[in-house]
Amino acid sequence: MPISPAARPETAPAARPAAPDRRPRPHVRPENAPRPGPRVRPDRAPASLPAPGVTPLLAVSGGQLVAAPRSAPAGPGRGRSRPSSNPYLRLLATPGARAFTAGNLIARLPMGMLSVSAVIMIAGSRGSYALAGAVTATGLAATAVVAPFTARLVDRFGQARVAVPATALAVLGSLALVLCVHHDAPAWTLFAAYAATATTPNTGGMSRARWAYLHRGDPAALHTANSFEQAADELCFMLGPVLAATLCGALFPEAGTLLGAVLLMTGVLVFAAQRATEPPVTPRTKPAAPPLRTPGMPALLAVFLATGAVFGAMEVVSIAHAGGAILALQAAGSCAAGLLYGSLRPARNVHLRLLLCLAAMTALMSLPLLAAAGSASLPVLALCLLLAGAATAPTMVTGMTLVQRATLPEQLNEGMTLAVTALLGGIAAGAAAGGWLVEHAGTASGYAAPMSAAALALVIAAAGTAGRRATRAV
């Protein structure tokens, strides 16, 4: 029977070794093997790698080997200085602050010298205190009219471009007054020469504008700056008259005016040279309303007017009662209170703070009245004046803060100059009222004038606060 080929048994060939599989296979990382780090090209090495030639210190962080820094990080007190706890030292540490502050103080000192020097010089030459008082009153009235326009030019064209020529014109007026007095010129020339000094720029306002620019958005630093400026005002008005009287008495009657003019020009030149801290001029795309029309500004100016009456009445009554030297104690109390007030952190409600300061000033102004009415000794009256001055600087600082908040940044110099103008007008009115009371009711009753003016300022501020709340409610 034939066998089919399919069923025919055949001898199986010998097994051949299998050819190697050359297809690429995916790399499988063992389960516990460490993951390799990313490859870094030499030309794109990260900044954290050590520099060539420097042996790094290695450390383990998060399961990886990293390069550790060779030096420990700077901790507190290592590698950097701790900020001062004194707010005034921190304030003066602002870049450029010490330079413009020095120039501002030099330029501000003559403001307490020139009027006293003019009175001594004119009264000594012409033998008439009435003429001397009339000349200085004319200069004060001219300043009240011209100062806001000068400040408006400062806001529009910059401090350096306006302050230097305006000061030069004022210095020429002071020198003209000296020549007119020395050569016995007609009386009307004295009025004209002293009126020319009205172009003196408000250096205190320009300094406050610089602080507001440097510390915009920092109410605490701005509060300290305003307190520092107010203390500087009190210091200059305390030292200026003493320096002027000493120079006029020890040298010659024109010495106080001449030195005041030199200091004024020198200080403004130093102040204006600090261009890095000068607030930039803001271009005005459309005409803005004057600060006088800003909501709340008229009430603030009325408060400054009444506060100025406190100063003017206190000055005249104190001179008539105990002499002018005792006024230095009031200025000293105000200066010390201003510095202390600037180191504190008062409440954020500035309007309420103003009411509290005015209430304290009204209460403290009653102390000289009680001492004079009770025929107290001169040391007791001096202590009362020292305490009475402790409320004036906080009131002025708070009022200036409100003026800065109510005024547009491009009109800041004009707004603060309006406040100073209202203050000067109040000083003139208070001096007149205090003199009338001294003449008709006596010096003891004359101390009622500053207390009444402080109470009037409190009433005006309270009415303004109530009106603002009613407007918000509507």
Side-chain angles (χ1 to χ4, degrees):
M1 177 177 181
I3 300 176
S4 62
R8 185 180 301 165
E10 295 183 355
T11 303
R16 297 179 181 180
D21 190 359
R22 301 184 181 274
R23 291 176 299 174
R25 296 183 180 180
H27 175 70
V28 179
R29 182 175 61 89
E31 182 177 357
N32 296 328
R35 185 182 298 272
R39 296 182 179 180
V40 181
R41 292 177 55 184
D43 58 341
R44 297 186 181 180
S48 60
L49 292 180
V54 178
T55 304
L57 298 178
L58 302 180
V60 178
S61 175
Q64 298 184 8
L65 196 63
V66 296
R70 283 185 170 270
S71 58
R78 180 185 298 177
R80 60 181 181 182
S81 58
R82 295 183 180 181
S84 174
S85 59
N86 191 325
Y88 294 102
L89 294 180
R90 293 198 305 268
L91 184 72
L92 294 177
T94 305
R98 296 183 180 181
F100 82 78
T101 299
N104 178 46
L105 292 178
I106 296 173
R108 202 183 301 190
L109 182 62
M111 299 182 67
M113 296 177 56
L114 292 176
S115 60
V116 176
S117 300
V119 169
I120 296 175
M121 180 175 59
I122 296 173
S125 174
R126 303 299 174 95
S128 173
Y129 280 95
L131 177 61
V135 170
T136 55
T138 301
L140 184 65
T143 301
V145 175
V146 176
F149 293 98
T150 305
R152 186 176 301 176
L153 293 176
V154 169
D155 285 326
R156 184 168 299 180
F157 299 105
Q159 294 182 355
R161 295 180 61 184
V162 176
V164 174
T167 304
L169 182 59
V171 168
L172 290 177
S174 297
L175 297 179
L177 179 65
V178 171
L179 292 177
C180 291
V181 171
H182 184 73
H183 294 286
D184 200 17
W188 66 267
T189 60
L190 305 182
F191 290 92
Y194 201 72
T197 63
T199 60
T200 304
N202 181 15
T203 53
M206 291 191 298
S207 182
R208 288 180 173 92
R210 293 200 179 205
W211 290 122
Y213 166 69
L214 294 175
H215 295 285
R216 54 193 182 278
D218 190 352
L222 193 56
H223 168 73
T224 303
N226 287 333
S227 301
F228 174 78
E229 291 295 327
Q230 186 60 37
D233 278 338
E234 300 293 344
L235 182 64
C236 292
F237 278 102
M238 181 174 59
L239 298 180
V242 176
L243 179 61
T246 303
L247 289 174
C248 293
L251 299 179
F252 48 91
E254 297 86 359
T257 302
L258 291 176
L259 180 61
V262 172
L263 290 177
L264 178 62
M265 194 72 246
T266 303
V268 171
L269 288 175
V270 174
F271 180 83
Q274 314 306 317
R275 303 299 294 270
T277 56
E278 180 179 349
V281 178
T282 304
R284 300 184 181 182
T285 57
K286 59 181 180 179
L292 187 59
R293 299 181 183 179
T294 304
M297 182 64 76
L300 282 175
L301 295 181
V303 171
F304 275 96
L305 186 67
T307 305
V310 175
F311 302 151
M314 181 67 74
E315 180 177 356
V316 172
V317 175
S318 296
I319 291 176
H321 186 79
I326 201 172
L327 286 174
L329 291 174
Q330 181 191 359
S334 181
C335 180
L339 293 176
L340 178 61
Y341 186 65
S343 63
L344 302 177
R345 291 295 172 262
R348 294 184 178 181
N349 191 338
V350 188
H351 294 279
L352 177 60
R353 198 193 315 166
L354 179 62
L355 292 178
L356 294 177
C357 291
L358 289 172
M361 186 169 66
T362 304
L364 291 177
M365 285 296 164
S366 65
L367 297 179
L369 175 61
L370 295 176
S375 300
S377 61
L378 188 60
V380 175
L381 178 62
L383 178 61
C384 291
L385 286 175
L386 182 68
L387 295 176
T392 56
T395 302
M396 295 297 299
V397 170
T398 308
M400 280 296 182
T401 302
L402 288 174
V403 169
Q404 290 174 350
R405 294 189 178 187
T407 309
L408 296 176
E410 61 269 20
Q411 297 177 329
L412 192 56
N413 288 287
E414 183 179 356
M416 288 188 293
T417 302
L418 284 175
V420 174
T421 302
L423 193 69
L424 294 177
I427 291 175
W436 188 89
L437 277 176
V438 167
E439 185 176 349
H440 291 83
T443 57
S445 300
Y447 279 109
M451 187 188 68
S452 301
L456 179 61
L458 176 60
V459 172
I460 295 173
T465 302
R468 186 177 60 259
R469 290 177 179 177
T471 302
R472 290 180 179 178
V474 172

